[in-house]
Amino acid sequence: MTPPMVLTIAGSDSGAGAGIQADLKVFAALRLYGTSVITATTAQNTRGVHDVFPMPGNVVSAQLTAVLEDMPPRAAKVGMLATAEAAAAVGAKARAGLLPNLVIDPVLESSSGRRLGVVSAIERLLPHATVITPNREEASALVGWSVATPADMAGAAAQLASNGPKYVVVTGGDMVAGEDAVDAVWTDAGARFLHYPRVVTRNNHGTGCTFSAAIAARLALGDAVPEALVFAKEYVARALIGARDWKLGGGQGPLDHFGWSSA
């Protein structure tokens, strides 16, 4: 059987825990064929981001055109957009209806604190999104006020939904409070919360990329958005548990995308 195709548009992580590399691992683990458009190359490892090298807008556009004219995806995921030109190239394809089931993970800052993306670049894509998945820091940057509590997360999700995306998920896995990792989800029916037992581990590099890539993968396989969100939440938890005792690098290590530790 020919596998469904799904596209990731994101930055390259030389440590392979996040970005393009993490997305392609998720797609392969979930039995989809992943294609890619690289928006930036980063020099990074488990300890942090050393440098970021954005791709010129025409290079991003050329990659998009090459993939889309021959290998149209059933879903697409957008991660780091380092420049407004890259966002314009992606936006043009989205407006043309060539990026179905579009999931946007607005990567604005690395887990080590390095600024990566451009807020305006993300904002111009929101009307075309099926799902967006900012964490609390990214949501704060997008709405212009501090998102700290679950109530704040729900309010930020509602505000972002007014800009056009059908579903907004403000993730709260970085919020150390209580025993659960809590995400706020906004739909036309209002706000609700996704709960899952928190996994305590230093190996959590790429959780946001993994979550959004898993959503895109399940949408490509035909899931409705609510089911895709639940699946992605559980998939991330399993990947965190699987890598909990790994010792890859001296900082925040990657996730167990393939379930190696449970095999």
Side-chain angles (χ1 to χ4, degrees):
M1 184 185 74
T2 302
M5 287 188 290
V6 60
L7 169 65
T8 172
I9 304 166
S12 170
D13 173 1
S14 53
I20 288 282
Q21 289 85 347
D23 294 346
L24 292 177
K25 290 174 190 177
V26 172
F27 299 157
L30 300 182
R31 305 179 67 83
L32 292 102
Y33 187 86
T35 57
S36 62
V37 169
I38 297 175
T39 60
T41 298
T42 67
Q44 65 175 295
N45 54 31
T46 64
R47 297 180 187 273
V49 179
H50 294 211
D51 216 334
V52 180
F53 307 94
M55 290 288 175
N58 64 321
V59 175
V60 174
S61 181
Q63 293 177 80
L64 274 167
T65 298
V67 171
L68 294 175
E69 71 181 9
D70 184 51
M71 307 173 79
R74 291 190 186 177
K77 175 252 169 100
V78 174
M80 183 174 74
L81 293 172
T83 67
E85 291 76 19
V90 176
K93 301 301 185 184
R95 285 192 300 274
L98 299 176
L99 300 176
N101 292 313
L102 182 59
V103 179
I104 298 177
D105 175 23
V107 178
L108 299 174
E109 191 170 277
S110 71
S111 55
S112 62
R114 174 93 182 214
R115 196 72 172 178
L116 298 176
V118 181
V119 170
S120 61
I122 298 298
E123 289 174 336
R124 69 175 61 190
L125 286 177
L126 295 183
H128 309 293
T130 300
V131 186
I132 67 168
T133 62
N135 62 27
R136 290 184 305 141
E137 291 296 322
E138 292 157 351
S140 297
L142 290 168
V143 299
W145 46 273
S146 177
V147 177
T149 67
D152 292 340
M153 291 160 61
Q159 182 174 330
L160 289 169
S162 69
N163 294 321
K166 296 179 178 66
Y167 289 78
V168 179
V169 185
V170 178
T171 62
D174 62 332
M175 184 171 53
V176 183
E179 296 182 354
D180 287 353
V182 181
D183 303 331
V185 182
W186 182 267
T187 72
D188 288 341
R192 65 185 180 94
F193 293 93
L194 286 177
H195 292 260
Y196 208 85
R198 182 181 305 282
V199 180
V200 179
T201 173
R202 76 168 189 173
N203 293 328
N204 55 15
H205 179 52
T207 52
C209 301
T210 298
F211 180 63
S212 55
I215 295 169
R218 294 304 304 185
L219 294 179
L221 289 168
D223 280 7
V225 174
E227 288 72 27
L229 297 182
V230 171
F231 177 92
K233 183 84 168 171
E234 295 175 349
Y235 175 78
V236 169
R238 290 195 303 270
L240 286 166
I241 292 169
R244 185 158 44 190
D245 297 324
W246 286 6
K247 295 177 175 61
L248 296 174
Q252 291 178 277
L255 279 60
D256 181 7
H257 294 101
F258 293 104
W260 288 334
S261 293
S262 60

PDB file of all heavy atoms in Angstrom, residues 5-6 12 29 32 37 56 63-64 66 90 99 106 154 159 161 176 221:
ATOM      1  N   MET A   5       1.074  10.871   2.283  1.00  0.00           N
ATOM      2  CA  MET A   5       2.170  11.837   2.377  1.00  0.00           C
ATOM      3  C   MET A   5       1.783  12.994   3.289  1.00  0.00           C
ATOM      4  O   MET A   5       0.640  13.462   3.282  1.00  0.00           O
ATOM      5  CB  MET A   5       2.546  12.368   0.997  1.00  0.00           C
ATOM      6  CG  MET A   5       3.297  11.361   0.152  1.00  0.00           C
ATOM      7  SD  MET A   5       3.953  12.047  -1.385  1.00  0.00           S
ATOM      8  CE  MET A   5       2.443  12.332  -2.306  1.00  0.00           C
ATOM      9  N   VAL A   6       2.764  13.460   4.064  1.00  0.00           N
ATOM     10  CA  VAL A   6       2.586  14.617   4.927  1.00  0.00           C
ATOM     11  C   VAL A   6       3.852  15.463   4.831  1.00  0.00           C
ATOM     12  O   VAL A   6       4.951  14.936   4.693  1.00  0.00           O
ATOM     13  CB  VAL A   6       2.265  14.189   6.375  1.00  0.00           C
ATOM     14  CG1 VAL A   6       3.378  13.354   6.964  1.00  0.00           C
ATOM     15  CG2 VAL A   6       1.949  15.370   7.253  1.00  0.00           C
ATOM     16  N   SER A  12      16.035  22.957  10.458  1.00  0.00           N
ATOM     17  CA  SER A  12      16.827  21.747  10.687  1.00  0.00           C
ATOM     18  C   SER A  12      17.535  21.842  12.032  1.00  0.00           C
ATOM     19  O   SER A  12      18.147  22.858  12.351  1.00  0.00           O
ATOM     20  CB  SER A  12      17.864  21.587   9.565  1.00  0.00           C
ATOM     21  OG  SER A  12      18.789  20.572   9.881  1.00  0.00           O
ATOM     22  N   ALA A  29       7.351   6.879  12.198  1.00  0.00           N
ATOM     23  CA  ALA A  29       6.842   6.034  13.282  1.00  0.00           C
ATOM     24  C   ALA A  29       5.357   5.748  13.113  1.00  0.00           C
ATOM     25  O   ALA A  29       4.876   4.675  13.493  1.00  0.00           O
ATOM     26  CB  ALA A  29       7.107   6.700  14.629  1.00  0.00           C
ATOM     27  N   LEU A  32       3.685   7.092   7.829  1.00  0.00           N
ATOM     28  CA  LEU A  32       3.423   8.024   6.740  1.00  0.00           C
ATOM     29  C   LEU A  32       4.735   8.362   6.041  1.00  0.00           C
ATOM     30  O   LEU A  32       5.822   8.231   6.620  1.00  0.00           O
ATOM     31  CB  LEU A  32       2.772   9.308   7.253  1.00  0.00           C
ATOM     32  CG  LEU A  32       1.355   9.149   7.780  1.00  0.00           C
ATOM     33  CD1 LEU A  32       1.378   9.125   9.297  1.00  0.00           C
ATOM     34  CD2 LEU A  32       0.459  10.265   7.276  1.00  0.00           C
ATOM     35  N   VAL A  37      10.476  20.824   3.744  1.00  0.00           N
ATOM     36  CA  VAL A  37      10.980  22.107   3.250  1.00  0.00           C
ATOM     37  C   VAL A  37      11.734  22.749   4.410  1.00  0.00           C
ATOM     38  O   VAL A  37      11.162  22.977   5.475  1.00  0.00           O
ATOM     39  CB  VAL A  37       9.836  23.023   2.783  1.00  0.00           C
ATOM     40  CG1 VAL A  37      10.336  24.445   2.538  1.00  0.00           C
ATOM     41  CG2 VAL A  37       9.176  22.453   1.536  1.00  0.00           C
ATOM     42  N   PRO A  56      17.091  31.805   2.465  1.00  0.00           N
ATOM     43  CA  PRO A  56      16.469  32.892   1.708  1.00  0.00           C
ATOM     44  C   PRO A  56      15.046  32.515   1.294  1.00  0.00           C
ATOM     45  O   PRO A  56      14.741  31.339   1.064  1.00  0.00           O
ATOM     46  CB  PRO A  56      17.380  33.034   0.489  1.00  0.00           C
ATOM     47  CG  PRO A  56      18.689  32.439   0.902  1.00  0.00           C
ATOM     48  CD  PRO A  56      18.342  31.323   1.847  1.00  0.00           C
ATOM     49  N   GLN A  63      11.760  25.094  -2.813  1.00  0.00           N
ATOM     50  CA  GLN A  63      11.523  23.786  -2.197  1.00  0.00           C
ATOM     51  C   GLN A  63      10.034  23.459  -2.172  1.00  0.00           C
ATOM     52  O   GLN A  63       9.615  22.340  -2.499  1.00  0.00           O
ATOM     53  CB  GLN A  63      12.065  23.763  -0.770  1.00  0.00           C
ATOM     54  CG  GLN A  63      13.563  23.853  -0.634  1.00  0.00           C
ATOM     55  CD  GLN A  63      13.952  23.892   0.842  1.00  0.00           C
ATOM     56  OE1 GLN A  63      13.998  22.868   1.510  1.00  0.00           O
ATOM     57  NE2 GLN A  63      14.201  25.091   1.361  1.00  0.00           N
ATOM     58  N   LEU A  64       9.229  24.438  -1.763  1.00  0.00           N
ATOM     59  CA  LEU A  64       7.782  24.229  -1.704  1.00  0.00           C
ATOM     60  C   LEU A  64       7.217  23.859  -3.073  1.00  0.00           C
ATOM     61  O   LEU A  64       6.438  22.911  -3.205  1.00  0.00           O
ATOM     62  CB  LEU A  64       7.102  25.504  -1.196  1.00  0.00           C
ATOM     63  CG  LEU A  64       6.990  25.685   0.306  1.00  0.00           C
ATOM     64  CD1 LEU A  64       6.591  27.120   0.622  1.00  0.00           C
ATOM     65  CD2 LEU A  64       5.973  24.715   0.896  1.00  0.00           C
ATOM     66  N   ALA A  66       8.740  22.594  -5.682  1.00  0.00           N
ATOM     67  CA  ALA A  66       9.207  21.291  -6.136  1.00  0.00           C
ATOM     68  C   ALA A  66       8.415  20.152  -5.496  1.00  0.00           C
ATOM     69  O   ALA A  66       8.014  19.196  -6.170  1.00  0.00           O
ATOM     70  CB  ALA A  66      10.697  21.143  -5.836  1.00  0.00           C
ATOM     71  N   VAL A  90       5.226  30.456   2.200  1.00  0.00           N
ATOM     72  CA  VAL A  90       4.313  29.440   2.727  1.00  0.00           C
ATOM     73  C   VAL A  90       2.871  29.923   2.628  1.00  0.00           C
ATOM     74  O   VAL A  90       1.967  29.177   2.242  1.00  0.00           O
ATOM     75  CB  VAL A  90       4.672  29.097   4.187  1.00  0.00           C
ATOM     76  CG1 VAL A  90       3.659  28.117   4.777  1.00  0.00           C
ATOM     77  CG2 VAL A  90       6.082  28.519   4.274  1.00  0.00           C
ATOM     78  N   LEU A  99      -1.937  23.449   0.970  1.00  0.00           N
ATOM     79  CA  LEU A  99      -1.467  22.948   2.262  1.00  0.00           C
ATOM     80  C   LEU A  99      -2.678  22.541   3.106  1.00  0.00           C
ATOM     81  O   LEU A  99      -3.064  23.238   4.044  1.00  0.00           O
ATOM     82  CB  LEU A  99      -0.634  24.016   2.982  1.00  0.00           C
ATOM     83  CG  LEU A  99       0.625  24.502   2.257  1.00  0.00           C
ATOM     84  CD1 LEU A  99       1.301  25.615   3.039  1.00  0.00           C
ATOM     85  CD2 LEU A  99       1.598  23.346   1.998  1.00  0.00           C
ATOM     86  N   PRO A 106       4.061  27.436  16.244  1.00  0.00           N
ATOM     87  CA  PRO A 106       4.768  28.718  16.092  1.00  0.00           C
ATOM     88  C   PRO A 106       6.062  28.759  16.900  1.00  0.00           C
ATOM     89  O   PRO A 106       6.107  29.273  18.013  1.00  0.00           O
ATOM     90  CB  PRO A 106       3.752  29.739  16.590  1.00  0.00           C
ATOM     91  CG  PRO A 106       2.918  28.993  17.565  1.00  0.00           C
ATOM     92  CD  PRO A 106       2.847  27.576  17.062  1.00  0.00           C
ATOM     93  N   ALA A 154      -6.567  29.420  28.254  1.00  0.00           N
ATOM     94  CA  ALA A 154      -7.862  29.373  27.580  1.00  0.00           C
ATOM     95  C   ALA A 154      -8.194  30.721  26.956  1.00  0.00           C
ATOM     96  O   ALA A 154      -8.704  30.793  25.825  1.00  0.00           O
ATOM     97  CB  ALA A 154      -8.948  28.953  28.559  1.00  0.00           C
ATOM     98  N   GLN A 159      -8.455  34.233  22.019  1.00  0.00           N
ATOM     99  CA  GLN A 159      -7.999  35.414  21.282  1.00  0.00           C
ATOM    100  C   GLN A 159      -7.348  35.011  19.962  1.00  0.00           C
ATOM    101  O   GLN A 159      -7.598  35.629  18.916  1.00  0.00           O
ATOM    102  CB  GLN A 159      -7.009  36.208  22.136  1.00  0.00           C
ATOM    103  CG  GLN A 159      -6.515  37.491  21.464  1.00  0.00           C
ATOM    104  CD  GLN A 159      -5.649  38.333  22.392  1.00  0.00           C
ATOM    105  OE1 GLN A 159      -5.820  38.320  23.615  1.00  0.00           O
ATOM    106  NE2 GLN A 159      -4.691  39.047  21.815  1.00  0.00           N
ATOM    107  N   ALA A 161      -7.892  32.303  18.283  1.00  0.00           N
ATOM    108  CA  ALA A 161      -8.904  31.738  17.395  1.00  0.00           C
ATOM    109  C   ALA A 161      -9.628  32.821  16.603  1.00  0.00           C
ATOM    110  O   ALA A 161     -10.100  32.569  15.487  1.00  0.00           O
ATOM    111  CB  ALA A 161      -9.899  30.910  18.192  1.00  0.00           C
ATOM    112  N   VAL A 176       4.969  23.774  35.630  1.00  0.00           N
ATOM    113  CA  VAL A 176       5.182  22.831  36.727  1.00  0.00           C
ATOM    114  C   VAL A 176       4.167  23.130  37.830  1.00  0.00           C
ATOM    115  O   VAL A 176       4.405  23.910  38.749  1.00  0.00           O
ATOM    116  CB  VAL A 176       6.620  22.913  37.271  1.00  0.00           C
ATOM    117  CG1 VAL A 176       6.830  21.869  38.363  1.00  0.00           C
ATOM    118  CG2 VAL A 176       7.621  22.716  36.145  1.00  0.00           C
ATOM    119  N   LEU A 221      -4.101  10.827   8.097  1.00  0.00           N
ATOM    120  CA  LEU A 221      -4.671   9.483   8.111  1.00  0.00           C
ATOM    121  C   LEU A 221      -6.192   9.489   8.221  1.00  0.00           C
ATOM    122  O   LEU A 221      -6.819   8.423   8.220  1.00  0.00           O
ATOM    123  CB  LEU A 221      -4.077   8.687   9.278  1.00  0.00           C
ATOM    124  CG  LEU A 221      -2.606   8.289   9.107  1.00  0.00           C
ATOM    125  CD1 LEU A 221      -2.038   7.765  10.421  1.00  0.00           C
ATOM    126  CD2 LEU A 221      -2.448   7.250   8.005  1.00  0.00           C
TER     127      LEU A 221
END
